[in-house]
Amino acid sequence: MKIKPLADRVVVQRIEEEEEKKGGIIIPDTAKERPQKGKVIAVGPGRLNDKGERMPMEVKEGDLVLFSKYAGTEVKVGDDEYLVMREDEILAILEE
Amino acid sequence: MKIKPLADRVVVQRIEEEEEKKGGIIIPDTAKERPQKGKVIAVGPGRLNDKGERMPMEVKEGDLVLFSKYAGTEVKVGDDEYLVMREDEILAILEE
Amino acid sequence: MKIKPLADRVVVQRIEEEEEKKGGIIIPDTAKERPQKGKVIAVGPGRLNDKGERMPMEVKEGDLVLFSKYAGTEVKVGDDEYLVMREDEILAILEE
Amino acid sequence: MKIKPLADRVVVQRIEEEEEKKGGIIIPDTAKERPQKGKVIAVGPGRLNDKGERMPMEVKEGDLVLFSKYAGTEVKVGDDEYLVMREDEILAILEE
Amino acid sequence: MKIKPLADRVVVQRIEEEEEKKGGIIIPDTAKERPQKGKVIAVGPGRLNDKGERMPMEVKEGDLVLFSKYAGTEVKVGDDEYLVMREDEILAILEE
Amino acid sequence: MKIKPLADRVVVQRIEEEEEKKGGIIIPDTAKERPQKGKVIAVGPGRLNDKGERMPMEVKEGDLVLFSKYAGTEVKVGDDEYLVMREDEILAILEE
Amino acid sequence: MKIKPLADRVVVQRIEEEEEKKGGIIIPDTAKERPQKGKVIAVGPGRLNDKGERMPMEVKEGDLVLFSKYAGTEVKVGDDEYLVMREDEILAILEE
């Protein structure tokens, strides 16, 4: 099943940071902050301006992105969990 | 009776996920989250821009769509229950 | 006395659903949800855009419409009660 | 003293409905709902659009109008009490 | 010291109504409603539209104006107290 | 160190009114209202309109200005304290 | 890893003021106000206007900037902590 976001929406998959250890003790899941890093899975066609023209998108499939803690709506497609957010909720692209 | 949404509104029929079982126990209805998946039943003609031109719609009748938990207004037409929402409340189209 | 709504307003008369019975017991009025169905009694000339042009209306007199539970303002003209709402508060037109 | 409303404002004088009687008992003032009907006393020149052009008004002096319960600001000029409201707060014109 | 309001702001000086008496008893100051009438002392050059053009003002120095109870910001210049408000907070001009 | 405000922002230095005395008793600092008068120290280049053009500023360096009690953000540069506010938060210019 | 902000966003690194001492006692971290000064690390390409044109940015990489206490979103890239904020949240540039 393929997910095609509408307008200026972006589908993002969270990237879990490597299991952090403090003094050898593994911190259980609930005590860790939710990661704000993710990979762009799908990108919408862009929002319409008031003339009905599509505005270009800045991110593309495969981009590694940073977003705020409360960004997006969680959706579940089959067994996968994604975040669907507006491009405007993406703060930055990370490049290596 | 046919339902014709106005402007950029979309009529959606929820799709109930297959009865989930956890360890053989059927979870009663109230304990399950309301599905955020639905089928597009009818599509409005699009909103007017400030010049009085209709803006095109992205979804069409029959599309399988994802929407946020709080999207839309519930209406009852005869014995059928629908959600009427703005297209902007639809997050993505699901394609097989 | 005739009622002429201003701008993009619409005058709607609620349509009471047929008295519902559950196991032969008539549900008293206060226990029933207010109907969200109505008939369009009068339609305004349309709102002005920023150039002073009237934007066209989608509904017309006689249309059967669906609206949200909290739509409109109740007014009383003589002995009749109406709802005056913006066209944007109307969700859909019902056609037979 | 003459009152000249600015922009898209309208000066309205409430019209008290005829003293209602229920079973011969006159309902005291505080138990009655404030009337939502009034007569237009004065009309502003219309609001400016972003180009500095006046937008036309729909109501005129002498019109009988319906407005919502919370519309307008009460002002007192001499011994007379008026409501000053934006034209957009007027729901409809009543014609006989 | 002269006060020159910016943009679409207007400097207004409250006009105290004549000391009202009820049955010969002078009502002390705190029991009286603050007057909503004032005299225009100074008028700004008008707000800029999105093209950088000044929009014309409707009130002029010397005008007697009506405003809402909560309009404006109180300022003190020397020993004088004024209200600085946007022209849009002025409801009407009073003419004799 | 020089402070250069962005867009339509203005850097203002509060002007303390002469120490007020009531019946010979000096009122301690916390009991006095914060002054709403200040001197313009620096002016931004103006905000951009939607075409990317700078909109002209009404105040200039050295102007004595009036602003509302809650205007601006306090910043500290070295040992000096300033208020950085949008020009729109300035009510009026005072001229002698 | 390089961080590329989107639209009109700016990546800022806080500049800690020199350890302040009061009477020889070093104030612990939690008692100090968070610095509102920072260095611009990266600048987005500018926001799009409604025609899809990029609006120019006022700050550039390396600028020393002042921002409000609550500006921006904290992000962590590797071991570095940054603030990602809209350019509009930057109050002023500091020049030496």
Side-chain angles (χ1 to χ4, degrees), chain F residues 1-9 11 44-54 73-78 84-86, chain G residues 17 20 36-37 47-51 53 55-59 64 66-69 87-96:
Chain F
M1 194 118 77
K2 218 185 136 192
I3 179 165
K4 281 178 53 180
L6 294 195
D8 58 340
R9 283 194 181 85
V11 181
R47 69 169 181 86
L48 290 179
N49 70 0
D50 199 55
K51 283 179 187 155
E53 302 159 344
R54 295 265 166 224
T73 301
E74 299 201 340
V75 297
K76 208 175 165 176
V77 181
V84 184
M85 58 185 77
R86 296 193 175 274
Chain G
E17 311 272 355
E20 234 182 309
Q36 297 169 254
K37 207 183 287 181
R47 69 170 182 85
L48 290 179
N49 69 0
D50 199 55
K51 283 180 187 153
E53 301 159 345
M55 296 289 97
M57 299 289 282
E58 277 186 73
V59 299
L64 195 65
L66 274 181
F67 44 88
S68 115
K69 233 171 287 185
E87 192 190 49
D88 194 59
E89 292 177 283
I90 296 178
L91 302 171
I93 300 173
L94 289 170
E95 287 186 348
E96 274 163 287

Side-chain angles (χ1 to χ4, degrees), chain C residues 37-73:
Chain C
K37 208 183 286 181
K39 199 178 152 190
V40 175
I41 298 299
V43 175
R47 69 169 181 86
L48 290 179
N49 70 359
D50 199 55
K51 283 180 186 153
E53 302 159 342
R54 295 265 166 226
M55 296 291 96
M57 298 290 281
E58 278 186 72
V59 300
K60 55 180 197 302
E61 231 184 278
D63 276 353
L64 195 66
V65 292
L66 275 181
F67 43 89
S68 115
K69 233 170 289 185
Y70 308 107
T73 301

Side-chain angles (χ1 to χ4, degrees), chain B:
Chain B
M1 192 117 76
K2 217 185 139 192
I3 179 165
K4 280 179 53 182
L6 294 195
D8 58 340
R9 284 195 181 83
V10 176
V11 181
V12 174
Q13 190 162 37
R14 282 186 205 277
I15 294 174
E16 301 289 337
E17 311 271 355
E18 312 72 63
E19 201 73 29
E20 232 181 312
K21 288 184 196 180
K22 285 201 171 156
I25 301 156
I26 295 165
I27 308 151
D29 242 42
T30 50
K32 279 192 302 182
E33 247 186 30
R34 293 266 276 294
Q36 299 169 251
K37 207 182 287 182
K39 199 178 153 189
V40 174
I41 298 299
V43 175
R47 69 169 181 86
L48 291 179
N49 69 359
D50 199 55
K51 283 180 187 153
E53 303 159 343
R54 295 264 167 225
M55 295 290 97
M57 299 289 282
E58 279 186 73
V59 299
K60 56 179 197 302
E61 230 184 278
D63 276 353
L64 194 66
V65 292
L66 274 181
F67 44 88
S68 115
K69 233 169 288 185
Y70 308 106
T73 301
E74 299 202 341
V75 297
K76 209 175 165 176
V77 181
D79 286 338
D80 298 312
E81 284 195 1
Y82 299 109
L83 278 171
V84 184
M85 59 184 78
R86 296 194 175 273
E87 192 190 50
D88 194 58
E89 291 177 284
I90 296 179
L91 302 172
I93 300 172
L94 288 170
E95 288 186 346
E96 273 162 287

